[in-house]
Amino acid sequence: MVQFPKIIQIETSLTCNSHCVFCPHDEMKREPQLMPDELWKKIIDESRGKGIIYRPFMVNEPFTDTRLPEIIEYIRKDPTAKVELNSNGNIPVKADIERILKAGVDWVRFSIDGFTQETYKKSGRGGTLDKVYADVRRFIETRNKLGVNCFVEVRMIDLDVNKHEQEEYVNFWSKYANKATITALYEWPWSGQETYFPAPCPKCREEMFFMTNGDAVLCCWDAFGRGVVGNASSESVEEIWLGENMKKHKDWLNNGDRGKILLCSKCDAYKTYDFSNWQGY
């Protein structure tokens, strides 16, 4: 097993300003809404100096957490660390874009699933298309003005409702972002699957995921805590990562035994993944 994860995802908040048709966020009843400051700081402190990519979000919109600039600043006290964000582009007015950029965010992926308001509305993303486009362009313009090194990717999830707009979308955003692309829709576990795809899973090979209550779970697609392998309140990051519970689950996933894990027993992710040269964890 890899001695330490390369990516640590920390769900600092459960808040979101979208209702995406493919996301289970609206069905979640988890608490607390905000991860306590001492907990996200503990996770970061216990993983410093290891070249970690931190993602301070999970099943939420990161820009809705007003602590985001502080969190990024705290992460970047470690010169080996990097910070990535995934956002729906509907940036709240209270979000301090300039401070977030100055804090040292390295990569932001904006997911906007339409080029016209009619199509965008069908995707369930929050806000109006005009506002989202203006917010993302404002973010890029602020980055350019500050001269900071933040890679911006704008992507559209490939949906039946937006296929006719994809070429125009990519052409438009290629003028502003570092990358404009169309990306495949992934299937959340337990979102209609009757069984599982009998194959290994690369998701937790080099990644670690923490919920707002400190639970470490196997996957960022675990919206309901079905794959808990530890808790950061009572264990260190290293203890969880190298612990027997994590090892047991990774062994099952390495061998394609998804059915032994509640979360993975109804997951068909990576159906198109090429496992012919799979070398395990």
Side-chain angles (χ1 to χ4, degrees), residues 17-41:
N17 53 5
S18 287
H19 304 279
C20 304
V21 295
F22 45 80
C23 179
H25 182 275
D26 288 350
E27 303 167 31
M28 296 190 320
K29 305 297 181 185
R30 294 194 279 111
E31 293 291 342
Q33 286 294 302
L34 294 176
M35 179 182 280
D37 290 341
E38 61 270 18
L39 188 51
W40 60 258
K41 287 180 179 179

Side-chain angles (χ1 to χ4, degrees), residues 204-223:
C204 64
R205 176 184 289 204
E206 297 176 336
E207 300 181 45
M208 204 170 185
F209 314 93
F210 291 96
M211 291 180 159
T212 56
N213 67 351
D215 279 347
V217 291
L218 290 168
C219 180
C220 60
W221 301 335
D222 188 2

